[in-house]
Amino acid sequence: MKIAYVFKTSLSSTFQLGEMILPQLEKGNHGVDVIGMFFFDDNISCLQQDNPVGERLAKIAREKNILLMVCDACAVRRGLAEGVLEQCGSGNVKAKGLVEGVLAGCFPQLYEALGPNPPDQVITL
């Protein structure tokens, strides 16, 4: 089964991702194929360069071909993207200061990125 995660709830990237999902992915016993993760609000902080959770996640994402995407508006508001709020949703906002491989976008970019390999389920945490 192919899963995409959406990290929306406050601190879900700290507990559910950092303490449960990521260790299982690293051990190879998560039980499903994770194909994408989309981060909102302060959950994007775990993806900042030199953050231990973000660096571990970037490594696993490279190995397992997992899409990592942050909400472009959330990133712009936190100084973690190049662009302005008026560009959000256009695909023209670029992530900065985040671990390798993270993209910035909105739902149109998420759908486009996952389109060729759609998830069977989307789980919002």
Side-chain angles (χ1 to χ4, degrees):
M1 179 183 322
K2 296 182 293 183
I3 298 293
Y5 286 109
V6 176
F7 294 96
K8 175 65 178 132
T9 305
S10 180
L11 301 176
S12 62
S13 62
T14 303
F15 180 67
Q16 287 88 356
L17 174 61
E19 300 293 324
M20 297 178 352
I21 296 168
L22 182 54
Q24 292 170 2
L25 289 171
E26 291 171 326
K27 292 176 186 171
N29 65 359
H30 190 54
V32 295
D33 293 325
V34 178
I35 61 167
M37 296 184 181
F38 193 51
F39 296 79
F40 283 98
D41 303 320
D42 288 334
N43 287 301
I44 69 174
S45 297
C46 78
L47 297 173
Q48 287 183 282
Q49 289 174 342
D50 299 323
N51 180 297
V53 169
E55 296 293 345
R56 288 169 48 208
L57 184 58
K59 180 179 184 284
I60 288 291
R62 281 190 304 275
E63 292 171 3
K64 299 187 179 282
N65 196 30
I66 299 172
L67 170 72
L68 299 178
M69 185 177 284
V70 295
C71 163
D72 52 8
C74 300
V76 166
R77 286 184 175 103
R78 288 161 180 78
L80 295 171
E82 296 174 3
V84 294
L85 288 174
E86 291 77 20
Q87 292 176 300
C88 292
S90 70
N92 294 322
V93 174
K94 304 297 178 211
K96 74 173 184 182
L98 300 176
V99 296
E100 182 183 338
V102 175
L103 303 174
C106 195
F107 289 105
Q109 290 76 44
L110 179 65
Y111 303 148
E112 181 179 337
L114 293 177
N117 184 30
D120 297 310
Q121 291 187 11
V122 176
I123 298 174
T124 301
L125 298 170

